[in-house]
Coordinates of all heavy atoms in Angstrom, one line a residue:
M826 N -6.3 30.0 3.4 CA -7.7 30.1 3.5 C -8.1 31.5 3.5 O -7.6 32.3 4.3 CB -8.2 29.4 4.7 CG -7.8 28.1 5.1 SD -8.3 26.8 3.8 CE -10.1 27.1 4.0
A827 N -9.0 31.9 2.6 CA -9.4 33.4 2.6 C -10.9 33.5 2.2 O -11.4 32.6 1.3 CB -8.6 34.2 1.7
A828 N -11.8 34.2 2.8 CA -13.1 34.5 2.4 C -13.6 35.8 3.2 O -13.1 36.0 4.3 CB -14.0 33.4 2.8
Y829 N -14.4 36.6 2.5 CA -14.8 37.8 3.2 C -15.8 37.4 4.3 O -15.8 38.1 5.4 CB -15.7 38.6 2.1 CG -14.7 39.4 1.1 CD1 -14.6 39.1 -0.2 CD2 -13.9 40.4 1.7 CE1 -13.9 39.7 -1.0 CE2 -13.0 41.1 0.7 CZ -13.1 40.8 -0.6 OH -12.3 41.4 -1.4
K830 N -16.6 36.4 4.2 CA -17.6 36.1 5.2 C -16.9 35.6 6.5 O -16.1 34.8 6.4 CB -18.7 35.1 4.6 CG -19.8 34.9 5.5 CD -20.9 34.1 4.8 CE -22.0 33.7 5.7 NZ -22.6 34.9 6.6
G831 N -17.4 36.0 7.6 CA -17.0 35.6 8.9 C -17.7 34.3 9.3 O -18.8 34.1 9.0
G832 N -17.1 33.5 10.0 CA -17.7 32.4 10.8 C -18.0 31.2 9.9 O -18.9 30.4 10.3
V833 N -17.4 31.1 8.8 CA -17.5 30.0 7.9 C -16.6 28.8 8.1 O -16.6 27.9 7.3 CB -17.6 30.4 6.5 CG1 -18.9 31.4 6.2 CG2 -16.3 31.2 6.1
G834 N -15.6 29.0 8.9 CA -14.7 27.9 9.2 C -13.2 28.1 8.6 O -12.4 27.3 8.7
K835 N -12.8 29.3 8.2 CA -11.5 29.6 7.7 C -10.5 29.2 8.8 O -9.5 28.5 8.4 CB -11.4 31.1 7.2 CG -12.3 31.6 6.3 CD -12.1 33.0 5.9 CE -12.2 33.9 7.1 NZ -13.6 34.1 7.5
T836 N -10.6 29.8 9.9 CA -9.5 29.6 11.0 C -9.5 28.1 11.3 O -8.3 27.6 11.5 CB -9.9 30.4 12.2 OG1 -9.8 31.8 11.9 CG2 -8.8 30.2 13.2
T837 N -10.6 27.5 11.5 CA -10.6 26.0 11.8 C -10.0 25.2 10.8 O -9.2 24.3 11.0 CB -12.0 25.6 12.1 OG1 -12.7 26.5 13.1 CG2 -12.1 24.2 12.6
I838 N -10.4 25.3 9.5 CA -9.9 24.5 8.5 C -8.3 24.8 8.3 O -7.7 23.8 8.2 CB -10.6 24.8 7.1 CG1 -12.1 24.4 7.2 CG2 -10.0 24.2 6.0 CD1 -13.0 24.8 6.0
A839 N -8.0 26.1 8.3 CA -6.6 26.3 8.1 C -5.7 25.6 9.3 O -4.7 25.0 8.9 CB -6.3 27.9 8.2
S840 N -6.2 25.7 10.5 CA -5.5 25.0 11.6 C -5.3 23.6 11.5 O -4.2 23.0 11.6 CB -6.0 25.4 13.0 OG -6.1 26.9 13.0
E841 N -6.6 23.0 11.1 CA -6.4 21.5 11.0 C -5.8 21.1 9.9 O -5.1 20.0 10.0 CB -8.0 21.0 11.0 CG -8.8 21.3 12.2 CD -8.4 20.5 13.5 OE1 -7.7 19.4 13.3 OE2 -8.4 21.2 14.4
L842 N -5.8 21.7 8.6 CA -5.2 21.3 7.5 C -3.7 21.5 7.6 O -3.0 20.6 7.2 CB -5.7 22.2 6.4 CG -5.6 21.7 4.8 CD1 -6.4 20.4 4.7 CD2 -6.2 22.7 4.0
A843 N -3.3 22.6 8.3 CA -1.8 22.7 8.5 C -1.3 21.5 9.4 O -0.2 20.9 9.0 CB -1.5 24.0 9.1
Y844 N -2.0 21.1 10.3 CA -1.6 20.0 11.3 C -1.5 18.8 10.6 O -0.3 18.0 10.6 CB -2.5 20.1 12.5 CG -2.1 18.9 13.5 CD1 -0.8 18.7 13.8 CD2 -3.0 18.1 14.0 CE1 -0.3 17.8 14.7 CE2 -2.7 17.1 15.0 CZ -1.4 17.0 15.3 OH -1.0 16.0 16.3
V845 N -2.6 18.4 9.8 CA -2.6 17.0 9.2 C -1.6 16.9 8.0 O -1.1 15.8 7.8 CB -4.0 16.6 8.8 CG1 -4.9 16.5 9.9 CG2 -4.6 17.5 7.7
M846 N -1.3 18.0 7.3 CA -0.4 18.1 6.3 C 1.1 18.2 6.8 O 2.0 18.2 6.0 CB -0.7 19.1 5.3 CG -2.0 19.0 4.5 SD -2.4 20.3 3.5 CE -1.1 20.2 2.2
G847 N 1.3 18.4 8.1 CA 2.7 18.8 8.6 C 3.2 20.0 8.0 O 4.4 20.2 7.8
A848 N 2.2 20.9 7.8 CA 2.7 22.2 7.0 C 2.7 23.3 8.2 O 2.3 23.2 9.3 CB 1.5 22.7 6.1
V849 N 3.3 24.6 7.8 CA 3.4 25.6 8.7 C 2.0 26.4 8.7 O 1.5 26.6 7.5 CB 4.6 26.5 8.5 CG1 4.5 27.7 9.2 CG2 5.8 25.8 8.6
L850 N 1.5 26.7 9.8 CA 0.2 27.5 9.9 C 0.7 29.0 9.9 O 1.3 29.5 10.8 CB -0.6 27.3 11.1 CG -1.8 28.1 11.4 CD1 -2.8 28.0 10.2 CD2 -2.5 27.6 12.7
L851 N 0.5 29.8 8.8 CA 0.8 31.1 8.7 C -0.3 32.0 8.9 O -1.4 31.9 8.0 CB 1.5 31.4 7.3 CG 1.8 32.9 6.9 CD1 2.8 33.4 7.9 CD2 2.3 33.0 5.6
D852 N -0.5 32.7 10.0 CA -1.6 33.4 10.3 C -1.5 34.9 9.8 O -0.7 35.7 10.5 CB -1.9 33.3 11.9 CG -3.2 34.1 12.3 OD1 -4.0 34.3 11.4 OD2 -3.4 34.0 13.5
L853 N -2.3 35.3 8.9 CA -2.2 36.6 8.3 C -3.6 37.3 8.7 O -3.9 38.5 8.1 CB -2.0 36.7 6.8 CG -0.7 36.0 6.4 CD1 -0.6 35.9 4.8 CD2 0.5 36.8 7.0
D854 N -4.4 36.9 9.6 CA -5.7 37.4 9.9 C -5.7 37.9 11.4 O -5.9 37.0 12.3 CB -6.7 36.4 9.7 CG -8.2 37.0 10.0 OD1 -8.2 38.3 10.0 OD2 -9.0 36.1 10.2
W855 N -5.6 39.2 11.7 CA -5.5 39.5 13.0 C -7.0 39.9 13.4 O -7.6 41.0 12.9 CB -4.7 40.8 13.3 CG -4.9 41.1 14.7 CD1 -5.7 42.0 15.4 CD2 -4.3 40.2 15.8 NE1 -5.7 41.7 16.7 CE2 -4.9 40.6 17.1 CE3 -3.6 39.1 15.9 CZ2 -4.7 40.0 18.3 CZ3 -3.3 38.4 17.1 CH2 -3.9 38.9 18.3
D856 N -7.5 39.2 14.4 CA -8.7 39.5 15.1 C -8.7 38.7 16.4 O -8.0 37.8 16.4 CB -9.9 39.5 14.2 CG -10.4 38.0 14.1 OD1 -10.8 37.3 14.9 OD2 -10.5 37.7 12.8
R857 N -9.6 39.0 17.3 CA -9.5 38.3 18.5 C -9.9 36.9 18.3 O -9.8 36.0 19.3 CB -10.4 39.0 19.5 CG -9.8 40.3 20.0 CD -8.6 40.0 21.0 NE -7.7 41.1 21.1 CZ -6.7 41.1 21.9 NH1 -6.4 40.0 22.6 NH2 -5.9 42.1 22.0
G858 N -10.4 36.4 17.2 CA -10.8 35.1 17.0 C -9.8 34.2 16.2 O -10.3 33.4 15.5
N859 N -8.5 34.7 16.1 CA -7.7 34.2 15.1 C -7.1 32.9 15.5 O -7.1 32.5 16.7 CB -6.7 35.4 14.7 CG -5.6 35.6 15.8 OD1 -5.8 35.0 16.9 ND2 -4.6 36.4 15.4
A860 N -6.3 32.4 14.6 CA -5.6 31.2 14.8 C -4.5 31.2 15.7 O -4.2 30.2 16.5 CB -5.1 30.6 13.4
T861 N -3.9 32.4 15.8 CA -2.7 32.6 16.6 C -3.2 32.5 18.1 O -2.6 31.8 18.9 CB -2.0 34.0 16.4 OG1 -1.5 34.0 15.2 CG2 -1.1 34.4 17.6
R862 N -4.3 33.0 18.5 CA -4.8 33.0 20.0 C -5.2 31.6 20.2 O -4.9 31.0 21.3 CB -5.8 34.0 20.2 CG -5.3 35.5 20.4 CD -6.4 36.4 20.9 NE -6.5 36.3 22.4 CZ -5.8 37.0 23.2 NH1 -4.7 37.7 22.8 NH2 -6.0 36.9 24.5
A863 N -5.9 31.0 19.3 CA -6.5 29.6 19.4 C -5.3 28.6 19.6 O -5.4 27.6 20.4 CB -7.3 29.2 18.2
W864 N -4.2 28.9 19.0 CA -3.0 28.1 19.2 C -2.3 28.1 20.6 O -1.7 27.2 21.0 CB -1.9 28.6 18.2 CG -0.7 27.6 17.8 CD1 -0.7 26.6 16.9 CD2 0.5 27.7 18.4 NE1 0.7 26.1 17.0 CE2 1.3 26.8 18.0 CE3 1.0 28.5 19.5 CZ2 2.7 26.5 18.3 CZ3 2.4 28.3 19.8 CH2 3.2 27.4 19.3
G865 N -2.7 29.3 21.3 CA -2.2 29.5 22.6 C -1.0 30.5 22.7 O -0.5 30.8 23.8
Y866 N -0.8 31.3 21.6 CA 0.1 32.3 21.6 C -0.5 33.7 21.9 O -1.6 34.1 21.4 CB 0.7 32.4 20.1 CG 1.8 33.4 19.9 CD1 3.2 33.1 20.0 CD2 1.6 34.8 19.7 CE1 4.2 33.9 19.8 CE2 2.6 35.7 19.5 CZ 3.9 35.2 19.6 OH 4.9 36.2 19.3
R867 N 0.1 34.4 22.9 CA -0.5 35.6 23.4 C 0.5 36.7 23.1 O 1.6 36.9 23.6 CB -0.7 35.6 24.9 CG -1.8 34.6 25.3 CD -3.1 34.9 25.0 NE -4.1 33.9 25.3 CZ -4.5 33.1 24.5 NH1 -4.1 33.1 23.2 NH2 -5.4 32.2 24.9
T868 N 0.0 37.7 22.2 CA 1.0 38.6 21.7 C 1.3 39.5 22.9 O 2.5 40.1 22.9 CB 0.4 39.5 20.5 OG1 -0.9 39.9 21.0 CG2 0.3 38.7 19.4
E869 N 0.4 39.8 23.9 CA 0.7 40.7 25.0 C 1.7 40.2 25.9 O 2.2 40.9 26.7 CB -0.6 41.0 25.7 CG -1.4 39.8 26.3 CD -2.4 39.2 25.4 OE1 -2.1 39.2 24.2 OE2 -3.3 38.6 25.9
Q870 N 2.1 38.9 25.8 CA 3.0 38.3 26.6 C 4.5 38.2 26.0 O 5.4 37.6 26.5 CB 2.6 37.0 27.1 CG 1.3 37.0 28.0 CD 0.7 35.7 28.2 OE1 1.3 34.6 27.9 NE2 -0.3 35.6 29.1
R871 N 4.4 38.8 24.7 CA 5.7 38.6 24.0 C 6.4 40.0 23.7 O 5.6 40.9 23.5 CB 5.3 38.0 22.6 CG 4.7 36.6 22.8 CD 5.7 35.4 23.1 NE 5.1 34.2 23.2 CZ 5.7 33.0 22.7 NH1 6.9 33.1 22.3 NH2 5.0 31.9 22.9
A872 N 7.6 40.0 23.6 CA 8.3 41.2 23.3 C 8.5 41.4 21.8 O 8.6 42.6 21.4 CB 9.6 41.2 24.0
S873 N 8.6 40.4 21.0 CA 8.9 40.6 19.6 C 7.5 40.1 18.9 O 6.7 39.5 19.5 CB 10.1 39.7 19.2 OG 9.8 38.3 19.4
A874 N 7.5 40.4 17.7 CA 6.4 40.1 16.7 C 7.1 39.5 15.4 O 7.5 40.1 14.6 CB 5.7 41.2 16.3
P875 N 7.2 38.0 15.4 CA 7.9 37.4 14.4 C 7.5 37.8 13.1 O 8.5 37.8 12.2 CB 7.6 35.8 14.8 CG 7.3 35.8 16.2 CD 6.7 37.2 16.6
L876 N 6.3 37.8 12.7 CA 5.8 38.1 11.4 C 6.3 39.5 11.0 O 6.8 39.8 9.9 CB 4.4 38.0 11.2 CG 3.7 38.4 9.9 CD1 4.2 37.3 8.8 CD2 2.1 38.4 10.0
L877 N 6.1 40.5 11.8 CA 6.4 41.9 11.5 C 8.0 42.0 11.4 O 8.4 42.7 10.5 CB 5.8 42.9 12.6 CG 4.3 42.7 12.8 CD1 4.0 43.8 13.9 CD2 3.5 43.1 11.6
D878 N 8.6 41.4 12.2 CA 10.1 41.4 12.2 C 10.6 40.9 10.9 O 11.7 41.4 10.3 CB 10.7 40.7 13.5 CG 10.3 41.4 14.8 OD1 9.8 42.5 14.7 OD2 10.5 40.7 15.8
A879 N 10.0 39.7 10.4 CA 10.5 39.1 9.4 C 10.3 40.0 8.1 O 11.0 40.1 7.1 CB 9.9 37.8 9.2
I880 N 9.1 40.6 8.0 CA 8.7 41.4 6.9 C 9.6 42.6 6.8 O 10.2 43.1 5.7 CB 7.2 42.0 7.0 CG1 6.3 40.7 6.8 CG2 6.9 43.1 6.0 CD1 4.8 41.0 7.0
E881 N 9.9 43.3 8.0 CA 10.9 44.5 8.1 C 12.2 44.1 7.7 O 12.9 44.9 7.1 CB 10.7 45.1 9.4 CG 9.4 45.9 9.6 CD 9.3 46.5 11.0 OE1 10.4 46.4 11.7 OE2 8.2 47.0 11.2
A882 N 12.6 42.8 8.2 CA 14.1 42.6 7.8 C 14.2 41.8 6.5 O 15.2 41.6 5.9 CB 14.5 41.5 8.9
G883 N 13.1 41.5 5.8 CA 13.1 40.8 4.5 C 13.6 39.4 4.5 O 14.4 38.9 3.6
R884 N 13.3 38.7 5.6 CA 13.7 37.4 5.7 C 12.5 36.4 6.0 O 11.5 37.0 6.4 CB 14.8 37.2 6.8 CG 14.3 37.6 8.2 CD 15.3 37.3 9.4 NE 14.9 37.9 10.6 CZ 13.8 37.4 11.4 NH1 13.1 36.3 10.9 NH2 13.5 38.0 12.4
T885 N 12.7 35.2 6.0 CA 11.6 34.2 6.2 C 11.5 34.0 7.7 O 12.5 33.8 8.4 CB 12.0 32.9 5.6 OG1 12.3 33.1 4.2 CG2 10.9 31.8 5.7
P886 N 10.3 34.2 8.3 CA 10.1 33.9 9.8 C 10.4 32.5 10.2 O 10.0 31.5 9.4 CB 8.7 34.4 9.9 CG 8.0 34.2 8.7 CD 9.0 34.4 7.6
R887 N 10.9 32.3 11.4 CA 11.1 30.9 11.8 C 9.8 30.6 12.7 O 9.4 31.1 13.7 CB 12.3 30.8 12.7 CG 12.6 29.4 13.3 CD 13.9 29.4 14.1 NE 15.0 29.8 13.4 CZ 16.2 30.0 14.0 NH1 16.4 29.8 15.2 NH2 17.3 30.4 13.2
P888 N 9.1 29.5 12.2 CA 7.9 29.1 12.9 C 8.1 28.5 14.3 O 9.1 28.0 14.7 CB 7.3 27.9 12.0 CG 8.1 28.0 10.7 CD 9.4 28.5 11.0
L889 N 7.1 28.8 15.2 CA 7.2 28.1 16.5 C 6.8 26.7 16.3 O 6.0 26.4 15.5 CB 6.2 28.9 17.4 CG 6.5 30.4 17.7 CD1 5.2 31.2 17.8 CD2 7.3 30.5 19.0
V890 N 7.4 25.9 17.2 CA 7.1 24.4 17.1 C 5.8 24.1 17.8 O 5.7 24.3 19.0 CB 8.3 23.6 17.6 CG1 8.0 22.1 17.6 CG2 9.5 23.8 16.8
G891 N 4.9 23.5 17.2 CA 3.6 23.1 17.8 C 3.6 21.6 18.3 O 4.3 20.8 17.6
K892 N 3.1 21.4 19.4 CA 3.0 20.0 19.9 C 1.6 19.6 19.8 O 0.7 20.2 20.4 CB 3.4 20.0 21.4 CG 3.7 18.7 22.0 CD 4.4 18.7 23.3 CE 4.6 17.3 23.9 NZ 5.0 17.4 25.3
R893 N 1.2 18.6 18.9 CA -0.1 18.1 18.7 C -0.9 19.3 18.1 O -2.2 19.5 18.3 CB -0.9 17.5 19.9 CG -0.2 16.4 20.4 CD -0.9 15.7 21.6 NE -2.2 15.2 21.1 CZ -3.1 14.7 21.9 NH1 -2.9 14.6 23.3 NH2 -4.2 14.2 21.4
K894 N -0.2 20.2 17.4 CA -0.8 21.3 16.5 C 0.3 21.6 15.5 O 1.4 21.4 15.8 CB -1.2 22.4 17.4 CG -0.2 23.0 18.3 CD -0.8 23.9 19.3 CE 0.4 24.4 20.3 NZ -0.1 25.1 21.4
A895 N -0.2 22.5 14.5 CA 0.8 22.9 13.4 C 1.9 23.8 14.0 O 1.6 24.6 15.0 CB 0.0 23.5 12.4
D896 N 3.0 23.7 13.5 CA 4.0 24.9 13.7 C 3.3 26.2 13.2 O 2.5 26.2 12.2 CB 5.3 24.6 12.9 CG 6.0 23.5 13.4 OD1 5.6 22.8 14.5 OD2 7.0 23.0 12.8
L897 N 3.7 27.2 13.9 CA 3.0 28.5 13.7 C 3.9 29.7 13.5 O 5.0 29.9 14.2 CB 2.1 28.7 14.9 CG 1.5 30.1 15.0 CD1 0.2 30.1 14.2 CD2 1.1 30.5 16.4
V898 N 3.6 30.5 12.5 CA 4.0 31.9 12.4 C 2.9 32.8 12.8 O 2.0 32.9 12.1 CB 4.5 32.2 10.8 CG1 4.9 33.8 10.9 CG2 5.5 31.3 10.5
P899 N 3.0 33.3 14.0 CA 1.8 34.0 14.7 C 1.7 35.4 14.0 O 2.6 36.0 13.6 CB 2.2 34.3 16.1 CG 3.8 34.2 16.1 CD 4.1 33.3 15.0
C900 N 0.3 35.9 14.0 CA 0.2 37.1 13.5 C 0.2 38.1 14.7 O 0.6 37.8 15.8 CB -1.3 37.3 13.0 SG -1.6 38.7 11.9
H901 N -0.1 39.4 14.4 CA 0.1 40.5 15.4 C -0.9 41.6 15.2 O -1.3 41.8 14.0 CB 1.4 41.0 15.4 CG 1.8 41.8 16.6 ND1 1.5 43.3 16.6 CD2 2.3 41.7 17.8 CE1 1.9 43.7 17.7 NE2 2.3 42.8 18.5
E902 N -1.4 42.2 16.3 CA -2.4 43.3 16.1 C -1.9 44.4 15.1 O -2.7 45.0 14.5 CB -2.6 44.0 17.4 CG -3.4 43.1 18.5 CD -2.5 42.4 19.3 OE1 -1.3 42.1 18.9 OE2 -2.8 42.2 20.5
D903 N -0.6 44.7 15.0 CA -0.1 45.7 14.2 C 0.0 45.3 12.6 O 0.3 46.2 11.8 CB 1.3 46.1 14.7 CG 1.2 46.8 16.0 OD1 0.1 47.2 16.4 OD2 2.3 46.9 16.7
F904 N -0.3 44.0 12.4 CA -0.2 43.6 10.9 C -1.3 44.3 10.2 O -2.6 44.1 10.6 CB -0.2 42.1 10.8 CG -0.2 41.6 9.5 CD1 1.0 41.7 8.7 CD2 -1.3 41.0 8.9 CE1 1.0 41.3 7.3 CE2 -1.3 40.5 7.5 CZ -0.1 40.7 6.8
Ligands
ADP920 N1 -16.9 22.1 10.0 C1 -17.4 22.7 11.1 N2 -18.5 22.1 11.6 C2 -19.0 22.8 12.8 N3 -18.7 23.9 13.2 C3 -17.5 24.4 12.7 C4 -16.9 23.9 11.6 N4 -15.9 24.7 11.3 C5 -15.8 25.7 12.2 N5 -16.8 25.5 13.1 C6 -17.1 26.4 14.2 O1 -17.7 27.6 13.5 C7 -17.2 28.8 14.3 C8 -16.6 29.8 13.3 O2 -15.4 29.1 12.8 P1 -14.1 29.8 12.3 O3 -13.0 28.9 11.9 O4 -13.5 30.7 13.6 O5 -14.6 30.7 11.2 P2 -13.8 32.0 10.4 O6 -12.4 31.9 10.7 O7 -14.2 31.8 9.0 O8 -14.4 33.2 11.1 C9 -16.4 28.3 15.4 O9 -17.2 28.2 16.6 C10 -16.0 26.9 15.0 O10 -15.7 26.1 16.0
MG921 MG1 -11.0 33.4 11.6

């Protein structure tokens, strides 16, 4: 999901669509209203950054398992 305009439902649609399709929610949009925080993931409570680590290592990130929500590759402020 991508659009320049804010507040049009990108985060909501991406999160819901990933869940109903059984797909992975890959969050590439860092801001305080992002899908990662809505999912319940707090970067400030984590020592690693799965997305950044995967990019730097050239490997596929392993998604976090979601319960009644999509599996997630979380974003990070440094992305
Ligand atoms: N289909 C919808 N109907 C009503 N409100 C919606 C809908 N989709 C999103 N919203 C609400 O609109 C606001 C912005 O949605 P959000 O998904 O954060 O947009 P974006 O990611 O494009 O900035 C949120 O408060 C969200 O709950
Ligand atoms: Mg958003």
Side-chain angles (χ1 to χ4, degrees):
M826 305 297 304
Y829 283 111
K830 187 167 172 54
V833 293
K835 299 182 297 292
T836 298
T837 305
I838 292 171
S840 299
E841 296 296 325
L842 206 53
Y844 181 44
V845 298
M846 291 177 71
V849 173
L850 177 58
L851 174 64
D852 186 9
L853 299 176
D854 181 22
W855 181 261
D856 72 62
R857 285 285 160 180
N859 74 353
T861 291
R862 287 189 82 80
W864 193 90
Y866 184 96
R867 297 287 176 266
T868 54
E869 62 270 30
Q870 295 171 357
R871 304 279 181 147
S873 64
L876 179 64
L877 303 179
D878 294 346
I880 291 170
E881 283 177 7
R884 60 170 174 74
T885 306
R887 182 179 300 179
L889 296 144
V890 176
K892 198 174 176 185
R893 301 185 65 185
K894 57 192 173 186
D896 291 356
L897 173 75
V898 176
C900 200
H901 190 276
E902 291 93 329
D903 293 342
F904 178 68

